[in-house]
Amino acid sequence: MADTDIPDSDATVGQRERNKAEKRHRIEEAALALFREKGYDGTTTREIARRAGVALGTLFTYASDKRDLLFLVYNDRQDALRRDAFGSIPEDAPFADQIVALFGPFYTHFAKEPGFTRDLLRELTFYTDGVQAPRFQEGRLSIVARIRELVEDAVADGRLSTPEDPRLIAEMIFGLYQSELRRWLAGDKPSKPGGLAALRRVLDILIAGLGPRDAD
Amino acid sequence: MADTDIPDSDATVGQRERNKAEKRHRIEEAALALFREKGYDGTTTREIARRAGVALGTLFTYASDKRDLLFLVYNDRQDALRRDAFGSIPEDAPFADQIVALFGPFYTHFAKEPGFTRDLLRELTFYTDGVQAPRFQEGRLSIVARIRELVEDAVADGRLSTPEDPRLIAEMIFGLYQSELRRWLAGDKPSKPGGLAALRRVLDILIAGLGPRDAD
DNA sequence: GCCAATAAATGAACATGTTCATTTATGCAA
DNA sequence: TTGCATAAATGAACATGTTCATTTATTGGC
């Protein structure tokens, strides 16, 4: 009966935590499948509970509310996308190329599920209350932080030459990315190349400036 | 009783339309007051109906759903703000000054009701279905169109010198405005001067560019 | 003025998100 | 092993957005 004391590979933690992890996983799977099939608004919490094989109330021990359920699902994907994104940045390439490469995996993924992404973009606005919110917001911050590093590197080796705060530049670029993303998703059938081309266009303008060149 | 036939100054239109206009007005007043007092989520449609003195179902002959009610309220204010905004643009001033002046009235108004504005920003995301949506979207388009004119004028007289499409520039500026607005409203007690200063900062960067200056 | 046609208003019924008192499962000490 | 303490799960009850068959009001033609 020492089996609760044997730390085998699957159970360094207790039964309770293993049950929770499994249940959380079932809920994530069910919610993801349904959000994909029927959209966020078209999915009911009862359906999610039924498909996950748990009681209705159980959902709300894993997420604060329905919106939080959306991020319970998305947070895992955001982590994966971010790893992917950070991995695809070419070194010593032009700055705009680096930014476009960074956002490439996001566009690839979002193009597959424009409906889901639209729901996400609506729900993430001033999303701070849910249990899943901190993890989501940290993810975004780490993307902005990475952009800031890219700016700093580019300024250091002369690919950029702005005297402005790299953090501010990074926030501007992230803001432009978001507004381009919204415009892209407002269209009928958003294609990855089209979206990235539009993003590159605004980045080029940001880098070139609106002139006149020596107006100070 | 020919009084229904007398077209007095208030009634060139029929009884039916007058009733509707009055009812719509009462609903707008009630919704506005409640959204201000208790926020969008904190207000129930039943309360709005009760305060407006109409039955619950009546609301939904004036708005498609609760979200639409938010824009039934906001559309009038948007029109007023836009008139105000267009009227405060100084001629022949530096381009950035003109843009900051244009958005000034919006910041003034939003600073008074940050909660309401946050709700608005969430709900306007991909808002296309409601009866009130077309009017709202037309309002935004006319703001972007005005910015585009400002860009064209500025390029024409040399205050700006970009070869890029003025429409695209206008959309970029509007996008930057929106993301700055969100950042501003994410703070605790958004102040107008602070918000406008942040907006000006990003505009200056956009105009100056990230350099290097003669990289092509 | 009366009547049929049409528009608007109504609120009970329904659908769905959320809460919470109760029940069940797990961990831990004796 | 037993029993208590704590965590988790449960689903009925509730709150609130939305629909729609029915009722009421308005209009235009006779």
Side-chain angles (χ1 to χ4, degrees), chain B residues 14-16 19 45-46 56 65-66:
Chain B
Q15 179 78 356
R16 206 169 255 173
N19 283 350
T45 52
R46 278 167 183 79
L56 180 56
D65 51 25
K66 191 184 179 185

mmCIF file of all heavy atoms in Angstrom, chain B residues 14-16 19 45-46 56 65-66, chain D residues 15-20 25-27:
data_model
loop_
_atom_site.group_PDB
_atom_site.id
_atom_site.type_symbol
_atom_site.label_atom_id
_atom_site.label_comp_id
_atom_site.label_asym_id
_atom_site.label_seq_id
_atom_site.Cartn_x
_atom_site.Cartn_y
_atom_site.Cartn_z
ATOM 1 N N GLY B 14 -47.166 61.170 -39.319
ATOM 2 C CA GLY B 14 -48.324 60.587 -38.644
ATOM 3 C C GLY B 14 -48.094 60.335 -37.170
ATOM 4 O O GLY B 14 -46.986 60.476 -36.643
ATOM 5 N N GLN B 15 -49.163 59.949 -36.532
ATOM 6 C CA GLN B 15 -49.163 59.624 -35.115
ATOM 7 C C GLN B 15 -48.183 58.488 -34.828
ATOM 8 O O GLN B 15 -47.439 58.527 -33.844
ATOM 9 C CB GLN B 15 -50.590 59.198 -34.717
ATOM 10 C CG GLN B 15 -50.752 58.792 -33.269
ATOM 11 C CD GLN B 15 -50.825 60.011 -32.358
ATOM 12 O OE1 GLN B 15 -50.673 61.157 -32.821
ATOM 13 N NE2 GLN B 15 -51.025 59.777 -31.088
ATOM 14 N N ARG B 16 -48.229 57.528 -35.732
ATOM 15 C CA ARG B 16 -47.426 56.325 -35.535
ATOM 16 C C ARG B 16 -45.938 56.685 -35.397
ATOM 17 O O ARG B 16 -45.279 56.277 -34.452
ATOM 18 C CB ARG B 16 -47.629 55.399 -36.734
ATOM 19 C CG ARG B 16 -47.393 53.952 -36.410
ATOM 20 C CD ARG B 16 -47.852 53.046 -37.545
ATOM 21 N NE ARG B 16 -49.099 52.347 -37.261
ATOM 22 C CZ ARG B 16 -49.753 51.612 -38.149
ATOM 23 N NH1 ARG B 16 -49.331 51.531 -39.401
ATOM 24 N NH2 ARG B 16 -50.871 50.997 -37.813
ATOM 25 N N ASN B 19 -45.183 58.544 -32.127
ATOM 26 C CA ASN B 19 -45.118 57.611 -31.008
ATOM 27 C C ASN B 19 -43.774 56.882 -30.979
ATOM 28 O O ASN B 19 -43.155 56.743 -29.932
ATOM 29 C CB ASN B 19 -46.246 56.576 -31.104
ATOM 30 C CG ASN B 19 -47.576 57.161 -30.668
ATOM 31 O OD1 ASN B 19 -47.627 58.270 -30.129
ATOM 32 N ND2 ASN B 19 -48.650 56.432 -30.917
ATOM 33 N N THR B 45 -31.816 44.222 -19.294
ATOM 34 C CA THR B 45 -32.781 44.748 -20.263
ATOM 35 C C THR B 45 -34.124 45.021 -19.574
ATOM 36 O O THR B 45 -34.839 45.953 -19.951
ATOM 37 C CB THR B 45 -32.985 43.754 -21.416
ATOM 38 O OG1 THR B 45 -33.307 42.473 -20.886
ATOM 39 C CG2 THR B 45 -31.722 43.646 -22.253
ATOM 40 N N ARG B 46 -34.438 44.255 -18.569
ATOM 41 C CA ARG B 46 -35.687 44.490 -17.837
ATOM 42 C C ARG B 46 -35.704 45.859 -17.158
ATOM 43 O O ARG B 46 -36.718 46.572 -17.163
ATOM 44 C CB ARG B 46 -35.902 43.387 -16.799
ATOM 45 C CG ARG B 46 -36.518 42.114 -17.375
ATOM 46 C CD ARG B 46 -36.429 40.939 -16.418
ATOM 47 N NE ARG B 46 -36.956 39.714 -17.023
ATOM 48 C CZ ARG B 46 -36.297 38.961 -17.889
ATOM 49 N NH1 ARG B 46 -35.076 39.284 -18.251
ATOM 50 N NH2 ARG B 46 -36.848 37.873 -18.402
ATOM 51 N N LEU B 56 -40.882 44.754 -22.011
ATOM 52 C CA LEU B 56 -39.567 44.185 -22.315
ATOM 53 C C LEU B 56 -39.388 43.980 -23.822
ATOM 54 O O LEU B 56 -38.372 44.372 -24.401
ATOM 55 C CB LEU B 56 -39.425 42.855 -21.569
ATOM 56 C CG LEU B 56 -38.123 42.095 -21.746
ATOM 57 C CD1 LEU B 56 -36.930 42.948 -21.366
ATOM 58 C CD2 LEU B 56 -38.145 40.820 -20.910
ATOM 59 N N ASP B 65 -30.488 43.566 -30.259
ATOM 60 C CA ASP B 65 -30.134 42.869 -29.026
ATOM 61 C C ASP B 65 -29.524 43.872 -28.060
ATOM 62 O O ASP B 65 -29.466 45.067 -28.347
ATOM 63 C CB ASP B 65 -29.184 41.705 -29.299
ATOM 64 C CG ASP B 65 -27.994 42.141 -30.148
ATOM 65 O OD1 ASP B 65 -27.658 43.339 -30.123
ATOM 66 O OD2 ASP B 65 -27.404 41.289 -30.836
ATOM 67 N N LYS B 66 -29.062 43.382 -26.926
ATOM 68 C CA LYS B 66 -28.552 44.298 -25.909
ATOM 69 C C LYS B 66 -27.379 45.120 -26.436
ATOM 70 O O LYS B 66 -27.291 46.322 -26.182
ATOM 71 C CB LYS B 66 -28.126 43.496 -24.669
ATOM 72 C CG LYS B 66 -27.830 44.377 -23.475
ATOM 73 C CD LYS B 66 -27.310 43.555 -22.302
ATOM 74 C CE LYS B 66 -26.996 44.454 -21.118
ATOM 75 N NZ LYS B 66 -26.380 43.691 -19.997
ATOM 76 P P DA D 15 -32.896 35.206 -8.712
ATOM 77 O OP1 DA D 15 -32.568 36.173 -7.658
ATOM 78 O OP2 DA D 15 -34.288 35.020 -9.189
ATOM 79 O "O5'" DA D 15 -32.009 35.561 -9.976
ATOM 80 C "C5'" DA D 15 -30.592 35.518 -9.885
ATOM 81 C "C4'" DA D 15 -30.028 36.044 -11.189
ATOM 82 O "O4'" DA D 15 -30.159 35.029 -12.208
ATOM 83 C "C3'" DA D 15 -30.753 37.277 -11.730
ATOM 84 O "O3'" DA D 15 -29.763 38.138 -12.252
ATOM 85 C "C2'" DA D 15 -31.693 36.720 -12.796
ATOM 86 C "C1'" DA D 15 -30.934 35.500 -13.299
ATOM 87 N N9 DA D 15 -31.765 34.371 -13.723
ATOM 88 C C8 DA D 15 -32.899 33.898 -13.120
ATOM 89 N N7 DA D 15 -33.412 32.848 -13.708
ATOM 90 C C5 DA D 15 -32.544 32.606 -14.773
ATOM 91 C C6 DA D 15 -32.528 31.642 -15.789
ATOM 92 N N6 DA D 15 -33.445 30.683 -15.901
ATOM 93 N N1 DA D 15 -31.527 31.699 -16.687
ATOM 94 C C2 DA D 15 -30.605 32.647 -16.578
ATOM 95 N N3 DA D 15 -30.515 33.613 -15.671
ATOM 96 C C4 DA D 15 -31.531 33.541 -14.787
ATOM 97 P P DT D 16 -30.218 39.573 -12.853
ATOM 98 O OP1 DT D 16 -29.096 40.488 -12.574
ATOM 99 O OP2 DT D 16 -31.598 39.897 -12.438
ATOM 100 O "O5'" DT D 16 -30.249 39.311 -14.421
ATOM 101 C "C5'" DT D 16 -29.066 38.875 -15.068
ATOM 102 C "C4'" DT D 16 -29.407 38.526 -16.500
ATOM 103 O "O4'" DT D 16 -30.196 37.314 -16.537
ATOM 104 C "C3'" DT D 16 -30.243 39.586 -17.243
ATOM 105 O "O3'" DT D 16 -29.686 39.736 -18.519
ATOM 106 C "C2'" DT D 16 -31.611 38.952 -17.307
ATOM 107 C "C1'" DT D 16 -31.194 37.498 -17.503
ATOM 108 N N1 DT D 16 -32.265 36.498 -17.295
ATOM 109 C C2 DT D 16 -32.292 35.401 -18.126
ATOM 110 O O2 DT D 16 -31.478 35.208 -19.011
ATOM 111 N N3 DT D 16 -33.326 34.519 -17.888
ATOM 112 C C4 DT D 16 -34.306 34.640 -16.921
ATOM 113 O O4 DT D 16 -35.180 33.784 -16.802
ATOM 114 C C5 DT D 16 -34.213 35.807 -16.089
ATOM 115 C C7 DT D 16 -35.226 36.030 -15.013
ATOM 116 C C6 DT D 16 -33.215 36.661 -16.310
ATOM 117 P P DG D 17 -29.828 41.086 -19.363
ATOM 118 O OP1 DG D 17 -28.609 41.863 -19.126
ATOM 119 O OP2 DG D 17 -31.143 41.687 -19.105
ATOM 120 O "O5'" DG D 17 -29.806 40.528 -20.849
ATOM 121 C "C5'" DG D 17 -28.668 39.807 -21.290
ATOM 122 C "C4'" DG D 17 -29.029 38.903 -22.436
ATOM 123 O "O4'" DG D 17 -29.946 37.883 -21.977
ATOM 124 C "C3'" DG D 17 -29.721 39.585 -23.618
ATOM 125 O "O3'" DG D 17 -29.216 39.027 -24.826
ATOM 126 C "C2'" DG D 17 -31.189 39.262 -23.407
ATOM 127 C "C1'" DG D 17 -31.123 37.883 -22.759
ATOM 128 N N9 DG D 17 -32.236 37.592 -21.851
ATOM 129 C C8 DG D 17 -32.601 38.302 -20.742
ATOM 130 N N7 DG D 17 -33.635 37.793 -20.120
ATOM 131 C C5 DG D 17 -33.969 36.679 -20.863
ATOM 132 C C6 DG D 17 -35.017 35.734 -20.683
ATOM 133 O O6 DG D 17 -35.865 35.683 -19.788
ATOM 134 N N1 DG D 17 -35.006 34.744 -21.667
ATOM 135 C C2 DG D 17 -34.091 34.697 -22.707
ATOM 136 N N2 DG D 17 -34.237 33.683 -23.559
ATOM 137 N N3 DG D 17 -33.117 35.569 -22.892
ATOM 138 C C4 DG D 17 -33.120 36.536 -21.936
ATOM 139 P P DT D 18 -29.703 39.594 -26.236
ATOM 140 O OP1 DT D 18 -28.693 39.248 -27.243
ATOM 141 O OP2 DT D 18 -30.150 40.984 -26.059
ATOM 142 O "O5'" DT D 18 -30.995 38.696 -26.532
ATOM 143 C "C5'" DT D 18 -30.806 37.306 -26.738
ATOM 144 C "C4'" DT D 18 -32.106 36.678 -27.208
ATOM 145 O "O4'" DT D 18 -33.027 36.555 -26.104
ATOM 146 C "C3'" DT D 18 -32.847 37.441 -28.312
ATOM 147 O "O3'" DT D 18 -33.073 36.516 -29.363
ATOM 148 C "C2'" DT D 18 -34.141 37.900 -27.640
ATOM 149 C "C1'" DT D 18 -34.330 36.845 -26.559
ATOM 150 N N1 DT D 18 -35.102 37.243 -25.348
ATOM 151 C C2 DT D 18 -36.149 36.458 -24.934
ATOM 152 O O2 DT D 18 -36.509 35.468 -25.536
ATOM 153 N N3 DT D 18 -36.790 36.881 -23.796
ATOM 154 C C4 DT D 18 -36.477 37.987 -23.030
ATOM 155 O O4 DT D 18 -37.118 38.246 -22.015
ATOM 156 C C5 DT D 18 -35.364 38.777 -23.508
ATOM 157 C C7 DT D 18 -34.943 39.990 -22.753
ATOM 158 C C6 DT D 18 -34.725 38.372 -24.631
ATOM 159 P P DT D 19 -33.854 36.942 -30.699
ATOM 160 O OP1 DT D 19 -33.104 36.379 -31.813
ATOM 161 O OP2 DT D 19 -34.201 38.375 -30.650
ATOM 162 O "O5'" DT D 19 -35.194 36.089 -30.541
ATOM 163 C "C5'" DT D 19 -35.081 34.745 -30.150
ATOM 164 C "C4'" DT D 19 -36.464 34.120 -30.022
ATOM 165 O "O4'" DT D 19 -37.127 34.624 -28.841
ATOM 166 C "C3'" DT D 19 -37.412 34.403 -31.192
ATOM 167 O "O3'" DT D 19 -38.063 33.180 -31.498
ATOM 168 C "C2'" DT D 19 -38.373 35.463 -30.640
ATOM 169 C "C1'" DT D 19 -38.417 35.078 -29.166
ATOM 170 N N1 DT D 19 -38.694 36.177 -28.195
ATOM 171 C C2 DT D 19 -39.632 35.969 -27.205
ATOM 172 O O2 DT D 19 -40.269 34.941 -27.092
ATOM 173 N N3 DT D 19 -39.796 37.029 -26.342
ATOM 174 C C4 DT D 19 -39.120 38.233 -26.366
ATOM 175 O O4 DT D 19 -39.353 39.097 -25.528
ATOM 176 C C5 DT D 19 -38.155 38.379 -27.432
ATOM 177 C C7 DT D 19 -37.381 39.655 -27.545
ATOM 178 C C6 DT D 19 -37.984 37.364 -28.284
ATOM 179 P P DC D 20 -38.792 32.943 -32.909
ATOM 180 O OP1 DC D 20 -38.477 31.555 -33.298
ATOM 181 O OP2 DC D 20 -38.481 34.074 -33.807
ATOM 182 O "O5'" DC D 20 -40.336 33.033 -32.526
ATOM 183 C "C5'" DC D 20 -40.793 32.442 -31.309
ATOM 184 C "C4'" DC D 20 -42.236 32.853 -31.060
ATOM 185 O "O4'" DC D 20 -42.257 33.985 -30.167
ATOM 186 C "C3'" DC D 20 -42.998 33.292 -32.321
ATOM 187 O "O3'" DC D 20 -44.349 32.884 -32.178
ATOM 188 C "C2'" DC D 20 -42.902 34.805 -32.270
ATOM 189 C "C1'" DC D 20 -43.020 35.022 -30.759
ATOM 190 N N1 DC D 20 -42.469 36.306 -30.278
ATOM 191 C C2 DC D 20 -42.881 36.799 -29.033
ATOM 192 O O2 DC D 20 -43.700 36.151 -28.375
ATOM 193 N N3 DC D 20 -42.384 37.978 -28.604
ATOM 194 C C4 DC D 20 -41.507 38.653 -29.359
ATOM 195 N N4 DC D 20 -41.034 39.804 -28.893
ATOM 196 C C5 DC D 20 -41.070 38.155 -30.628
ATOM 197 C C6 DC D 20 -41.576 36.990 -31.042
ATOM 198 P P DA D 25 -54.953 50.291 -27.202
ATOM 199 O OP1 DA D 25 -54.630 51.214 -26.090
ATOM 200 O OP2 DA D 25 -56.353 49.966 -27.542
ATOM 201 O "O5'" DA D 25 -54.217 50.823 -28.499
ATOM 202 C "C5'" DA D 25 -52.803 50.989 -28.490
ATOM 203 C "C4'" DA D 25 -52.346 51.542 -29.833
ATOM 204 O "O4'" DA D 25 -52.522 50.526 -30.846
ATOM 205 C "C3'" DA D 25 -53.124 52.766 -30.320
ATOM 206 O "O3'" DA D 25 -52.155 53.713 -30.740
ATOM 207 C "C2'" DA D 25 -53.981 52.242 -31.463
ATOM 208 C "C1'" DA D 25 -53.155 51.069 -31.979
ATOM 209 N N9 DA D 25 -53.904 49.950 -32.560
ATOM 210 C C8 DA D 25 -54.930 49.253 -31.981
ATOM 211 N N7 DA D 25 -55.396 48.271 -32.724
ATOM 212 C C5 DA D 25 -54.612 48.326 -33.868
ATOM 213 C C6 DA D 25 -54.606 47.554 -35.046
ATOM 214 N N6 DA D 25 -55.428 46.529 -35.263
ATOM 215 N N1 DA D 25 -53.691 47.879 -36.009
ATOM 216 C C2 DA D 25 -52.856 48.893 -35.780
ATOM 217 N N3 DA D 25 -52.777 49.692 -34.715
ATOM 218 C C4 DA D 25 -53.690 49.353 -33.789
ATOM 219 P P DT D 26 -52.607 55.136 -31.351
ATOM 220 O OP1 DT D 26 -51.577 56.112 -30.970
ATOM 221 O OP2 DT D 26 -54.028 55.358 -30.993
ATOM 222 O "O5'" DT D 26 -52.501 54.904 -32.914
ATOM 223 C "C5'" DT D 26 -51.217 54.688 -33.492
ATOM 224 C "C4'" DT D 26 -51.364 54.448 -34.992
ATOM 225 O "O4'" DT D 26 -52.174 53.288 -35.217
ATOM 226 C "C3'" DT D 26 -52.027 55.597 -35.753
ATOM 227 O "O3'" DT D 26 -51.090 56.051 -36.718
ATOM 228 C "C2'" DT D 26 -53.287 54.976 -36.359
ATOM 229 C "C1'" DT D 26 -52.927 53.489 -36.388
ATOM 230 N N1 DT D 26 -54.055 52.522 -36.330
ATOM 231 C C2 DT D 26 -54.197 51.601 -37.339
ATOM 232 O O2 DT D 26 -53.465 51.538 -38.293
ATOM 233 N N3 DT D 26 -55.253 50.726 -37.178
ATOM 234 C C4 DT D 26 -56.160 50.690 -36.118
ATOM 235 O O4 DT D 26 -57.048 49.869 -36.076
ATOM 236 C C5 DT D 26 -55.936 51.692 -35.098
ATOM 237 C C7 DT D 26 -56.854 51.748 -33.908
ATOM 238 C C6 DT D 26 -54.908 52.555 -35.241
ATOM 239 P P DT D 27 -51.391 57.375 -37.595
ATOM 240 O OP1 DT D 27 -50.118 58.086 -37.834
ATOM 241 O OP2 DT D 27 -52.545 58.074 -37.003
ATOM 242 O "O5'" DT D 27 -51.850 56.733 -38.973
ATOM 243 C "C5'" DT D 27 -50.995 55.786 -39.638
ATOM 244 C "C4'" DT D 27 -51.746 55.119 -40.771
ATOM 245 O "O4'" DT D 27 -52.772 54.278 -40.219
ATOM 246 C "C3'" DT D 27 -52.455 56.089 -41.720
ATOM 247 O "O3'" DT D 27 -51.821 56.041 -42.986
ATOM 248 C "C2'" DT D 27 -53.915 55.618 -41.743
ATOM 249 C "C1'" DT D 27 -53.824 54.218 -41.153
ATOM 250 N N1 DT D 27 -55.048 53.773 -40.392
ATOM 251 C C2 DT D 27 -55.723 52.645 -40.800
ATOM 252 O O2 DT D 27 -55.403 51.993 -41.758
ATOM 253 N N3 DT D 27 -56.807 52.325 -40.025
ATOM 254 C C4 DT D 27 -57.270 53.001 -38.911
ATOM 255 O O4 DT D 27 -58.260 52.606 -38.282
ATOM 256 C C5 DT D 27 -56.516 54.164 -38.528
ATOM 257 C C7 DT D 27 -56.928 54.956 -37.354
ATOM 258 C C6 DT D 27 -55.432 54.502 -39.288
#
